Amino acid sequence: MVAPLVLTYYVVLRSVLRLKPWLRKCLARCRHCCIFFLTDVRNAGRKDLGCPFGCGQAHRKGQSTRRSVAYYREPEGKVKKRDLNARRRKMPAPPASLQSTPLPWPRPILQYVRVVASLIEGRPILLSEIVEMLQRTLRQHRMVRLRRIDQGVAWLNAQPP
């Protein structure tokens, strides 16, 4: 299920790098899942990055859980946790917070698309521009014939490297 998506992603990534060879310095590899991705110029050359597809968030969440568990096992943390639990029983539930405009795509993916589009176009791009562009693209009707890149993906699926 994921393999065809990764193949499609790699075909697009290779075509972008072929058209814009100066972006090769921004190519990074995720330290968790080892997938290649484009990073911001300021992060070029770093080896400790997590991909924008969820590895970074998963690693941060795991580290946070480990720190919390270690803290709450200490005597000072046990006292604090006991106080927090006692306060929680006395307070009413907070009202549901109002979110800003809901996005149809996960925010980390939108941020990644924004970074890559900014690198390709050579100018800063707002997140709202990315959302608008994606919505415009999804409104377009599909062509019956396969695009060249889709033919490449189909070929890679039939004959993997």
Side-chain angles (χ1 to χ4, degrees):
M1 179 88 172
V2 175
L5 293 174
V6 173
L7 283 175
T8 306
Y9 170 72
Y10 275 161
V11 168
V12 173
L13 184 62
R14 286 182 61 195
S15 65
V16 166
L17 291 174
R18 209 173 285 132
L19 290 173
K20 315 261 185 194
W22 61 88
L23 291 179
R24 193 166 294 280
K25 68 179 179 184
C26 297
L27 191 64
R29 187 173 214 151
C30 177
R31 70 179 186 158
H32 305 291
C33 69
C34 298
I35 193 170
F36 285 102
F37 64 97
L38 288 174
T39 186
D40 194 87
V41 179
R42 295 170 291 190
N43 290 329
R46 286 184 51 188
K47 304 288 185 203
D48 61 341
L49 298 174
C51 70
F53 308 115
C55 288
Q57 290 86 352
H59 182 69
R60 274 193 296 280
K61 185 177 179 183
Q63 293 295 87
S64 173
T65 301
R66 282 189 207 99
R67 280 192 308 273
S68 294
V69 167
Y71 175 74
Y72 288 125
R73 284 185 179 160
E74 296 173 0
E76 178 186 340
K78 287 181 180 182
V79 170
K80 183 170 183 176
K81 187 64 176 173
R82 188 173 44 238
D83 293 343
L84 286 172
N85 286 341
R87 261 190 277 156
R88 188 179 301 129
R89 285 189 287 268
K90 294 176 186 175
M91 293 175 54
S97 64
L98 298 174
Q99 284 186 343
S100 60
T101 310
L103 298 171
W105 298 279
R107 193 168 188 87
I109 298 297
L110 288 174
Q111 291 288 358
Y112 177 65
V113 171
R114 186 186 64 77
V115 168
V116 171
S118 296
L119 287 171
I120 291 171
E121 290 194 12
R123 67 177 181 91
I125 297 178
L126 298 174
L127 196 62
S128 59
E129 290 179 84
I130 295 297
V131 171
E132 180 183 320
M133 181 259 315
L134 288 172
Q135 287 173 338
R136 235 185 5 253
T137 303
L138 290 177
R139 278 197 306 260
Q140 293 177 356
H141 294 290
R142 301 281 180 218
M143 298 296 288
V144 175
R145 297 180 65 162
L146 286 178
R147 293 177 300 170
R148 189 172 181 168
I149 195 153
D150 293 334
Q151 290 173 352
V153 170
W155 181 80
L156 281 173
N157 283 332
Q159 301 176 2

